Amino acid sequence: MATLKEDTNKDMLIQALLEGEIGELDHKDRETLARIKCDKITRPLIALSYNTASIIAGADKTYNAIRNYLEERDIDAFLKTIGSLGLTTIEPLMDVQLPGKARVTFSRVYPERVSDILDAVFNNFISEEYVLGQHPNDLHEPWESIPRIDELSFFQSQQRYILKNCGRIAPESIDEYIAHGGYRSFLMSIRNHTPEELCDLVEESRLRGRGGEGYPTGKKWKNTLNAPADKRFLICNAGESDPGAFMERMIMESDPHSLVESLGIASYAIGAQKAYIYLESEYEMASRRLQKAIDQARHYGLLGHDIFSSGFNLNIQLHQGAGAYVCGEETALIASLEGKRGMPRPKPPYPSHKGLHNNPTVVNNMETLLNVPVIVRHGPAWYKQTGTVKSSGTKVFSLSGKIERSGLVEVPMGTSLREVVYKIGGGLPDNKELKGLLIGGPAGGALTYENLDTPIDYEELKDKGCTLGSGAVVVMDEEGCILDTVKYYMHLLKKESCGKCIPCREGTRRMYEILENITQRPQEENGTFTLQRFKGVINLEKLAYVVRDTSLCGLGQRAANPILSTISAFREEYEEHIFERRCRAGVCQELSTFYIDVDKCTGCTICAQKCPTGAIVGSTKKPHFIVQERCIGCGICYESCKFGAIVRK
Amino acid sequence: MDKDKIKKILERYPFVERENLIPILQDIQYEYGYLTEEAIKEVGNYLKLPSSKIYSVATFYSKFRFRPKGRFHIRLCRGTSCQIKGAANLEKKVYKLLNIENGETTGEGMFSLELVACMGACGLGPVMAVNEEYYTEITEDRLEEIVKGYKEIEDYI
């Protein structure tokens, strides 16, 4: 893929970095800088968003289509690839910028639309059908009657500190990152601050760990810095492991240099000379781009030995996980890095005293670290202005599920979830009603429609039985079944429980069995079976509390969360499943009853032949009937009927 | 399986440290598609670890396979968003069509199935991929069509 030629601007950019202010540069250098930032261009620029989501949507084909278009017509334009703007439903996105004009973003740019869109743009006309918006600024002449991108409802309520470069700059170019003000915080930190000062700064900013419990980051750093040792390590947990969260992957794909910079500052603050980034093995593109960013940074002297003569050394190593949800727990993560089974161990001793290879180690979530350059740049006082008193800053969410606009969202702490879902996300498709919000993945919790006004804040969410967790927000409409989702989570937790402590290993299994019993029709109606089933139902809540209170690590302690947070809020639905054996959403197929529509049935006997329990009776060419007592609700008849005569209720 | 290839992979890790175990196994899997018994033994000799230890680590993580991939490797997303949009039925459908579950390969080595935690395109779910070809907003009928299409390719070859 085309990126800017490296090296040609290296010396100038480093000088710009060291000088601190761009004002000190001479005219020629300033021109170059403007060119790198794409403020001043001499030929048209086309930037295609190229990331996992857009590739799945077909960005590869679009890229080829654009290249062919330019070649066929012999147009001298610069084609580059950028990260994700965060809007995943309308990918592939394409930006076009003509010299002197504002940049315009088009959505859903499929290969067959490329020539239409580009033909129009090169004739100074923008077809409103495909346009998303324009990025106006003082340097460029805006387009008429094209909406501003920051005024779109998706972006209007967002406050993007962490995502500010995402989808705007080329992720594989260090030049662009530096030209947009990158690595300045890192240089400021190692030249003007001592590690202690940095820890103070972060503590003062009241930054809290974005991973789950919200432990103050500054305090964690100080503990590690003050622990006596020759070696310290920093581990950045960038593996979401939660199915349904994609923000870390997106950020790494869209702006990898910001993570490298954050790691630089944090490592310096805790006195670590080696930092690890732990990410999932499926994140191929993210790890490729990160590795490239690390190599580029080393080439520019921003990593390695004696960085900018400060005496500070740093190496960053990528470590790809091999698929284990429990590795989100810090001691399990450390075990995994050491080449062992990723099982947690009891704390204390905390990793801040005995972590990787028994050395003091800080394990930080990736989003937490990304806040650090912002704090260093603008100061803690400025940072604290955003958010609530106890939870400062912003929070990034990955919004998905049954929602109009899913994607990456960054809002100040304290914003209500209603705003996130209805204003930013655009509500539910087809005006369906919202049933619940699943927050924080399998170990998170669920919120009902009534609780939508809850502000995003560690304490407020905890009161409602939820944790911020991974930052995944999945929207459910009436077509979804709460029990089915809880069962899905419990299946995942049961599978991912490492097996070290009994409450979690056995508890998750038993809870899953109970849920399975509730969502299934009884195989036989004898007394013991029914008794067992009811015993399970009665003990479900109690069991959940035991698992929560006695498990060793966060996975077990939070494994009961999906049950505990839904059993009160969606009690009615639980009861329907248990007593009436009815699933109102029709998702729990084993609970549904099947009837044969006498008018439609032709008597072809296919269903009777396929029924595993022989519950369908009738003679050839005459309507059949289902004997409800024998039916186990497998739904095979429903699927095999060619005439749509089987009705599911 | 030739030993030279494994040797070459091991040479990328000059330090005999346990820290390198998982990356080495990943490299081997990348090269061959799965972990063979010989490969595990070779790694054990190199890192001075008993094969049982290596096997215990490899089985802990869900990404390691011990059977070869099929010619058409199906990856099905089982993330929360895809689950809400009906991915559970798709898994059943694959089982019905090909009689394979997660991690299994069909008898003739044609198809294999892997359930993926999240493919990163939640807005377009349910998502699935066959080798490197992605399919979005899958329904049961479309899944059947896609699988049929690949079966025809196989017959043609």
Side-chain angles (χ1 to χ4, degrees), chain A residues 261-281:
Chain A
E261 182 179 8
S262 313
L263 281 173
I265 302 170
S267 302
Y268 176 71
I270 62 164
Q273 301 199 337
K274 184 152 191 188
Y276 292 86
I277 302 174
Y278 176 90
L279 68 167
E280 299 287 322
S281 59

Side-chain angles (χ1 to χ4, degrees), chain B residues 8 23 56-57 60 89 95 105-106 120 126 129 140 148 154 156:
Chain B
K8 252 185 204 152
S56 91
V57 170
F60 184 84
N89 293 335
Y95 183 75
T105 310
T106 48
E140 285 184 52
K148 240 183 213 160
E154 179 73 17
Y156 187 71

Side-chain angles (χ1 to χ4, degrees), chain A residues 245-266:
Chain A
F246 50 85
M247 65 240 211
E248 290 175 357
R249 171 194 230 154
M250 284 289 197
I251 296 172
M252 282 188 281
E253 282 174 6
S254 307
D255 193 14
H257 279 287
S258 66
L259 182 60
V260 176
E261 182 179 8
S262 313
L263 281 173
I265 302 170

Side-chain angles (χ1 to χ4, degrees), chain A residues 39-341:
Chain A
D39 284 346
K40 237 181 207 176
I41 48 171
T42 47
R43 50 190 183 142
L45 169 88
I46 299 173
L48 180 72
S49 109
Y50 197 75
N51 53 67
T52 325
S54 73
I55 289 172
I56 292 179
D60 268 323
K61 289 176 193 122
T62 307
Y63 185 84
N64 288 334
I66 299 172
R67 213 180 42 197
N68 288 341
Y69 175 91
L70 295 176
E71 269 169 21
E72 271 167 27
R73 290 166 180 72
D74 209 18
I75 296 171
D76 182 27
F78 183 59
L79 173 59
K80 69 170 185 175
T81 52
I82 52 175
S84 166
L85 205 56
L87 268 163
T88 57
T89 19
I90 51 168
E91 295 274 11
L93 296 177
M94 176 178 77
D95 289 6
V96 184
Q97 189 181 348
L98 299 180
K101 288 282 226 174
R103 191 187 263 215
V104 187
T105 302
F106 296 91
S107 62
R108 293 204 176 95
V109 184
Y110 304 124
E112 61 273 16
R113 292 183 180 170
V114 167
S115 56
D116 280 2
I117 296 174
L118 290 181
D119 274 344
V121 175
F122 288 133
N123 286 315
N124 273 321
F125 171 76
I126 286 182
S127 45
E128 281 178 26
E129 203 179 333
Y130 308 125
V131 78
L132 181 73
Q134 58 174 333
H135 305 256
N137 61 35
D138 307 338
L139 302 165
H140 301 133
E141 185 198 334
W143 293 86
E144 260 172 52
S145 72
I146 299 295
R148 291 170 60 114
I149 214 143
D150 48 1
E151 282 172 2
L152 295 178
S153 52
F154 182 77
F155 293 100
Q156 213 174 24
S157 321
Q158 294 199 46
Q159 207 157 344
R160 293 193 158 195
Y161 298 154
I162 292 171
L163 302 178
K164 71 173 192 302
N165 285 334
C166 290
R168 289 173 196 265
I169 68 167
E172 297 183 30
S173 158
I174 190 172
D175 290 6
E176 256 188 74
Y177 183 69
I178 295 177
H180 278 88
Y183 286 114
R184 211 146 286 158
S185 301
F186 176 49
L187 238 75
M188 250 162 82
S189 308
I190 59 172
R191 297 172 113 211
N192 308 341
H193 294 289
T194 62
E196 289 81 11
E197 278 171 19
L198 276 176
C199 289
D200 285 337
L201 216 68
V202 172
E203 198 170 11
E204 206 189 312
S205 74
R206 287 203 290 261
L207 174 66
R208 297 170 67 175
R210 299 289 191 248
E213 295 302 317
Y215 192 78
T217 308
K219 219 163 146 189
K220 203 176 197 174
W221 287 10
K222 260 189 192 161
N223 288 342
T224 309
L225 184 66
N226 295 331
D230 335 320
K231 268 190 187 168
R232 291 185 188 83
F233 295 105
L234 174 74
I235 301 173
C236 165
N237 181 3
E240 248 117 3
S241 51
D242 163 23
F246 50 85
M247 65 240 211
E248 290 175 357
R249 171 194 230 154
M250 284 289 197
I251 296 172
M252 282 188 281
E253 282 174 6
S254 307
D255 193 14
H257 279 287
S258 66
L259 182 60
V260 176
E261 182 179 8
S262 313
L263 281 173
I265 302 170
S267 302
Y268 176 71
I270 62 164
Q273 301 199 337
K274 184 152 191 188
Y276 292 86
I277 302 174
Y278 176 90
L279 68 167
E280 299 287 322
S281 59
E282 335 35 345
Y283 296 6
E284 279 161 46
M285 180 180 267
S287 77
R288 203 174 59 237
R289 285 188 173 162
L290 257 179
Q291 191 58 53
K292 193 165 181 188
I294 292 168
D295 293 343
Q296 285 174 339
R298 187 172 297 132
H299 183 67
Y300 274 46
L302 290 157
L303 289 176
H305 183 69
D306 193 15
I307 299 163
F308 285 93
S309 342
S310 62
F312 171 58
N313 313 323
L314 177 65
N315 278 311
I316 298 180
Q317 193 182 326
L318 288 188
H319 183 97
Q320 297 205 340
Y325 181 68
V326 69
C327 286
E329 206 279 340
E330 45 184 10
T331 54
L333 177 53
I334 289 168
S336 174
L337 278 179
E338 289 171 345
K340 297 175 187 155
R341 285 166 75 96

Side-chain angles (χ1 to χ4, degrees), chain A residues 561-585:
Chain A
N561 257 5
I563 290 185
L564 289 174
S565 71
T566 52
I567 208 162
S568 50
F570 297 94
R571 187 143 205 122
E572 236 174 79
E573 233 177 301
Y574 271 84
E575 283 172 359
E576 263 174 27
H577 278 80
I578 296 167
F579 301 119
E580 296 171 34
R581 293 194 176 147
R582 187 169 71 89
C583 174
R584 62 167 89 167

